[in-house]
Amino acid sequence: MSALTAVDVIRTKRDGGVLSDDQIDWVMDAYTRGQVADEQMSALAMAILLRGMTGPEIARWTAAMIASGERLDLSAVDRPTVDKHSTGGVGDKITLPLTPLVAACGAAVPQLSGRGLGHTGGTLDKLESIPGWRATLTNDEFIGQLRDVGAAICAAGAGLAPADRKLYALRDVTGTVEAIPLIASSIMSKKIAEGTSALVLDVKVGSGAFMKSVEQARELARTMVELGGAHGVRTVALLTDMSTPLGLAIGNGVEVAESVEVLAGGGPTDVLELTLALAREMLDAAGLSDADPQVALRDGRAMDVWRAMIRAQGGDPDAPLPTAPEIETVRAEADGHVEAIDAYAMGVAAWRLGAGRARKEDPVSAPAGVVLHKRPGDRVRAGETLYELRAEQADRIPAAMAEAAGAVRISETPPVGRPLVIERIG
Ligand code: URA
């Protein structure tokens, strides 16, 4: 019988103490096995949110989360492995063009992704708008696809960091998502357990992100870069702007369509810029810095990998994407320049249209979403279309209209541009 109790562990952190390695290992294991109750883990998560954790505590907490499940062995994959993780944003479809692009340049990209919750979208929900595509692969299928195609985007199996699966669901309903030690350990435990050798983090900053300030984002990025290094995963982070949605499409099918445009050599400039910036970081981290991702986009190699990757998971890359029967167009009331488009408001509008879910088990709509016709910096004339709201049911439109109202700010003078990549940490 262990002499440790959940109440003692909670009290230690509640009173501002440092948890010992034994306390951390014990509480994580007991929680995963159902011997520490959800209400006890909730109290501990809240104590961590309020009191914080030291670097060594975060490292041990992460190691205990990894040890709660299996760690994949990707040594059978004969190319350098490198993954990317985004902390989540609005219109953030970058994983879709980036994964095949980096694979086309010689790396293998093991991309275990999630579903959207709240106003941020999920990569798996987006890909599921492609007819036939399936998100689940066994470990053997995952490794086989990495060897054959070089890229796989799929759901994390139940065996990977099960402690995080339980804890994340609990944090979501107890107001404890926003603790940096908990976010960092949650993300890194899954990425380390997935077996990648290198990792590039896209840490989002701004209204549409978890981290609203550069200082918070920097602290999160530094914490994750250190955790990666401590577990032998070469990790770098880019802090990138998420005050404006990325690209013109926010939703599921609409984001797939925009990603395919990028792979075909077009697409919005910000989506292309961030895809290339992250691709260069990933190729550097994988020891493939001689590869030029711009060439792999131009000569169609990235598109070839995309098509192979979609087919390998049952999808038809040539099938038309579902279209929305209900479209509401919102027009500018005055001439001017688009000064800003609020990412959070547009993310919530897309969610109301059916692109996102309120509870984990809710379905999402493939064609629903927001399609912007203007970007910050664009000139606009009264009566021109600013954006479209698309839905499967007409009764979803009014709530989305209310959320999006005021999201596009028009000014008389052109705005000062913001850099997309704010800082590099690593
Ligand atoms: N994404 C995760 O996987 N975990 C968090 O805690 C936050 C974002």
Side-chain angles (χ1 to χ4, degrees):
M1 272 292 276
S2 167
L4 292 166
T5 70
V7 175
D8 287 338
V9 179
I10 296 164
R11 282 196 183 120
T12 304
K13 189 44 75 183
R14 180 198 67 190
D15 297 340
V18 174
L19 300 178
S20 68
D21 290 353
D22 282 351
Q23 282 179 312
I24 292 174
D25 294 349
W26 176 81
V27 82
M28 196 61 77
D29 178 56
Y31 177 60
T32 309
R33 288 185 296 107
Q35 288 174 2
V36 163
D38 276 349
E39 55 270 27
Q40 294 176 308
M41 196 47 137
S42 310
L44 182 57
M46 185 59 80
I48 291 170
L49 181 134
L50 296 172
R51 293 293 196 169
M53 271 180 154
T54 64
E57 272 180 304
I58 301 174
R60 190 72 180 204
W61 185 268
T62 307
M65 286 178 51
I66 297 167
S68 72
E70 59 181 334
R71 186 168 176 176
L72 290 185
D73 176 5
L74 300 184
S75 57
V77 178
D78 51 5
R79 313 186 196 185
T81 52
V82 58
D83 192 8
K84 185 257 340 186
H85 180 83
S86 156
T87 56
V90 176
D92 184 2
K93 72 278 296 169
I94 301 292
T95 296
L96 275 53
L98 179 65
T99 302
L101 173 58
V102 172
C105 293
V109 188
Q111 179 60 243
L112 297 182
S113 296
R115 299 190 180 279
L117 195 62
H119 73 281
T120 62
T123 298
L124 302 180
D125 295 330
K126 294 172 198 183
L127 284 168
E128 276 175 350
S129 35
I130 301 173
W133 188 86
R134 69 188 161 98
T136 344
L137 294 179
T138 64
N139 288 352
D140 286 347
E141 285 171 334
F142 181 59
I143 292 170
Q145 191 172 321
L146 286 174
R147 290 168 60 112
D148 298 344
V149 180
I153 304 177
C154 65
L160 223 79
D164 176 65
R165 197 175 295 259
K166 272 187 92 176
L167 183 55
Y168 190 80
L170 193 66
R171 287 166 55 214
D172 200 36
V173 294
T174 56
T176 51
V177 168
E178 293 88 349
I180 286 178
L182 297 180
I183 297 176
S185 55
S186 164
I187 292 172
M188 294 305 290
S189 62
K190 285 174 287 202
K191 290 291 156 180
I192 294 164
E194 147 200 295
T196 188
S197 305
L199 177 65
V200 175
L201 298 162
D202 180 5
V203 179
K204 301 282 183 204
V205 194
S207 79
F210 277 125
M211 301 289 117
K212 309 291 180 204
S213 75
V214 172
E215 291 69 31
Q216 285 176 317
R218 193 179 286 134
E219 189 188 335
L220 176 62
R222 284 202 180 121
T223 308
M224 292 195 288
V225 166
E226 268 172 37
L227 284 173
H231 287 271
V233 179
R234 281 184 305 284
T235 307
V236 297
L238 298 184
L239 305 193
T240 70
D241 183 54
M242 186 29 74
S243 49
T244 300
L246 262 172
L248 295 167
I250 307 157
N252 297 308
V254 287
E255 292 198 34
V256 171
E258 190 168 270
S259 304
V260 172
E261 279 173 32
V262 172
L263 289 163
T269 50
D270 59 338
V271 178
L272 179 63
E273 180 189 337
L274 189 53
T275 302
L276 288 173
L278 289 165
R280 290 193 182 103
E281 291 292 349
M282 288 172 77
L283 292 167
D284 269 356
L288 295 167
S289 25
D290 287 346
D292 185 343
Q294 213 153 7
V295 174
L297 268 185
R298 208 180 303 134
D299 65 15
R301 274 180 295 145
M303 180 67 101
D304 291 344
V305 176
W306 161 263
R307 295 171 63 81
M309 181 181 86
I310 297 302
R311 277 210 192 92
Q313 287 170 245
D316 177 358
D318 297 313
L321 293 164
T323 51
E326 304 295 336
I327 300 183
E328 180 80 30
T329 301
V330 177
R331 297 176 191 281
E333 284 172 6
D335 292 357
H337 298 263
V338 178
E339 188 187 333
I341 302 180
D342 184 60
Y344 180 73
M346 284 304 186
V348 176
W351 179 16
R352 299 278 185 264
L353 291 165
R357 52 169 69 75
R359 290 170 306 150
K360 284 205 298 300
E361 47 288 348
D362 291 347
V364 295
S365 160
V370 180
V371 176
L372 304 174
H373 283 230
K374 297 284 175 189
R375 301 275 313 147
D378 286 352
R379 279 196 73 112
V380 59
R381 301 225 169 269
E384 269 190 291
T385 301
L386 290 176
Y387 55 88
E388 285 169 30
L389 303 174
R390 300 185 182 181
E392 289 187 81
Q393 302 92 7
D395 62 2
R396 291 206 174 251
I397 303 269
M401 288 276 277
E403 293 295 345
V408 180
R409 270 210 321 269
I410 310 268
S411 63
E412 284 177 9
T413 49
V416 183
R418 293 165 178 267
L420 186 53
V421 178
I422 300 166
E423 200 168 306
R424 179 183 188 279
I425 291 172

